[in-house]
Amino acid sequence: MKVNVEIDCTPLEARQFFGLPDVSPMQTAVMDKMQQQVMANIEKVSPESLIQSWFTFDPKIAERFQDMFVTMAGLGAMGQKDKK
């Protein structure tokens, strides 16, 4: 014998029926806290602040980046000469 019972209720009504607590205030508080943290940290991820934090370690790091790019450009030019 097979019996099917279909119950039409909201999640809140099901939780109340089984005696489970209402967790919506806690969910709201957690989501509000997460939103505050995301909004506070979003400024740290902006390109300007990232570049500023990278270049504050060593005043000569800009020169080192420039040298690295010149070296890479030189290697790329040498690779193109080899192909000809």
Side-chain angles (χ1 to χ4, degrees):
M1 175 165 63
K2 186 175 182 181
V3 176
N4 289 330
V5 177
E6 188 173 324
I7 299 173
D8 186 22
C9 66
T10 65
L12 177 60
E13 292 170 340
R15 282 194 299 270
Q16 289 172 345
F17 177 77
F18 288 110
L20 298 173
D22 182 19
V23 292
S24 60
M26 182 183 67
Q27 289 173 334
T28 303
V30 169
M31 292 305 293
D32 289 343
K33 180 72 172 173
M34 284 180 69
Q35 183 178 4
Q36 290 172 356
Q37 287 179 346
V38 166
M39 296 308 288
N41 290 329
I42 205 161
E43 182 61 35
K44 295 178 184 176
V45 185
S46 71
E48 295 85 14
S49 62
L50 285 175
I51 297 265
Q52 184 178 12
S53 68
W54 291 345
F55 288 118
T56 54
F57 289 135
D58 185 6
K60 294 187 178 187
I61 200 160
E63 294 174 21
R64 292 182 184 153
F65 269 112
Q66 184 178 6
D67 293 341
M68 180 182 69
F69 286 125
V70 167
T71 304
M72 287 173 32
L75 291 176
M78 290 175 58
Q80 290 178 356
K81 288 180 184 177
D82 294 340
K83 290 181 182 179
K84 289 183 181 180

